[in-house]
Amino acid sequence: MRKMMVLATSMLLALSTTLSYAQKVKGSDTCLPLVQKEAENYMKGNAKHSVTVIGGGSGVGISALIEGSTDIAMASRKMKFDEKKKINEAGKSCKEVTIAYDALAVIVNPKNPVKNLTREQLSDIFTGKISNWNQVGGPNMPIVTYSRETSSGTYEFFKSSVLKEKNYKSGIMSMPATGAVVQSVSQTPGAIGYVGLAYLNSKVKAVAVSYDNGKKYVEPTKENALNKTYPIVRPLYLYYTLNKKATVTPFIDYILSNEGQKIVSEIGYIELSK
């Protein structure tokens, strides 16, 4: 009997050493480059844990969380009341975790000479009141507006902060991913769009923005977000249901750790400690 107990104990120990966790993370394209890098580094130190990260938009991630097809939802906006209600109706409770902050940048084609825009001008452009760059000091060239899809948290945040809840213009070019916005703006001389800070590159030009009717224009940089002079800044979230807490907590704790927050800075977002 004792030999059998020893054998059983040995088998349990062997099983525990091979125990692995596979978790899915889905949602916000703004969070995507950050959480992908966090997962990559996390798995280097946790070989038995597998973390798969895909985008699609905040709404897509939260819907997947409600359906139970993802373990963690990434979001660049807060979960809505009706979304929380659906989770509660499924007999689950949800936890919200802020992992970083992001400055939302307005981008134009590098050939466009316009460098500054007020919030009011941006609102008029994206609602259709302004349709030519010569109306804001630029060349005689039609404005082509690019936006994220309605399921995107970035779409909703831009509507709230910049448009002040006015509706986007009809016929606006809705892109399925943030990378598609960058690519489209880089290839279209009259284009304008908006992206998270980590998506800025040399193929597009970020414009300085004024929220005080043109008295002061501020560029979208990490430094300006940190010193609170840049006005378009929002938190980034992870959501999970409490029944998955044991599985997802180690990865989330890693993101919140000093090492994880260092990655936040490296990617180009703003750490929580700041």
Side-chain angles (χ1 to χ4, degrees):
M1 178 65 73
R2 185 175 180 181
K3 288 183 178 180
M4 290 179 65
M5 290 178 65
V6 171
L7 179 61
T9 301
S10 298
M11 291 176 65
L12 286 171
L13 287 172
L15 180 62
S16 67
T17 59
T18 58
L19 185 65
S20 62
Y21 294 101
Q23 47 192 295
K24 297 178 182 178
V25 186
K26 189 174 185 176
S28 167
D29 274 8
T30 301
C31 297
L32 185 62
L34 169 59
V35 180
Q36 280 182 329
K37 186 64 176 180
E38 297 280 9
E40 178 184 325
N41 281 29
Y42 173 74
M43 288 187 288
K44 287 179 182 178
N46 297 272
K48 292 182 288 183
H49 294 195
S50 172
V51 183
T52 303
V53 187
I54 57 176
S58 299
V60 171
I62 292 173
S63 293
L65 186 70
I66 293 169
E67 296 166 359
S69 59
T70 192
D71 300 296
I72 301 173
M74 303 180 290
S76 57
R77 62 161 173 84
K78 277 189 169 291
M79 186 178 285
K80 298 176 182 177
F81 175 79
D82 64 317
E83 292 168 335
K84 291 182 180 179
K85 185 179 179 181
K86 288 179 181 179
I87 287 179
N88 293 334
E89 288 173 348
K92 299 175 183 179
S93 297
C94 191
K95 174 72 173 179
E96 174 189 284
V97 181
T98 302
I99 58 168
Y101 291 90
D102 172 42
L104 195 62
V106 176
I107 57 172
V108 297
N109 188 277
K111 295 179 180 179
N112 192 329
V114 173
K115 298 179 180 179
N116 305 319
L117 290 169
T118 66
R119 186 203 63 78
E120 291 78 11
Q121 287 173 325
L122 286 171
S123 178
D124 287 346
I125 287 171
F126 280 88
T127 58
K129 189 174 180 180
I130 292 176
S131 58
N132 194 296
W133 284 107
N134 62 15
Q135 294 175 266
V136 290
N140 182 17
M141 178 170 57
I143 297 175
V144 183
T145 49
Y146 287 93
S147 171
R148 285 299 316 282
E149 293 178 323
T150 57
S151 63
S152 164
T154 304
Y155 169 98
E156 296 197 19
F157 177 75
F158 191 83
K159 182 179 180 181
S160 172
S161 178
V162 178
L163 307 189
K164 300 303 180 184
E165 299 299 344
K166 293 179 182 177
N167 291 325
Y168 287 86
K169 62 181 284 188
S170 60
I172 196 168
M173 305 294 287
S174 296
M175 297 288 103
T178 303
V181 175
V182 174
Q183 183 178 12
S184 297
V185 172
S186 71
Q187 296 173 348
T188 309
I192 186 170
Y194 52 86
V195 299
L197 202 59
Y199 282 88
L200 290 181
N201 60 36
S202 59
K203 295 181 180 180
V204 294
K205 182 178 76 175
V207 300
V209 175
S210 171
Y211 264 48
D212 58 5
N213 294 307
K215 294 177 183 177
K216 183 180 181 181
Y217 291 90
V218 185
E219 295 181 353
T221 65
K222 180 182 175 182
E223 292 71 26
N224 289 338
L226 283 170
N227 63 32
K228 302 184 186 305
T229 57
Y230 188 71
I232 318 177
V233 177
R234 42 74 184 272
L236 303 178
Y237 305 103
L238 295 183
Y239 288 95
Y240 66 90
T241 52
L242 293 182
N243 63 308
K244 295 290 184 72
K245 182 177 180 179
T247 304
V248 305
T249 296
F251 177 52
I252 294 176
D253 285 347
Y254 173 78
I255 297 175
L256 299 177
S257 70
N258 289 336
E259 185 176 348
Q261 288 297 296
K262 183 179 179 182
I263 294 172
V264 171
S265 179
E266 291 171 353
I267 292 294
Y269 292 147
I270 300 102
E271 315 95 299
L272 295 177
S273 59
K274 302 296 184 180

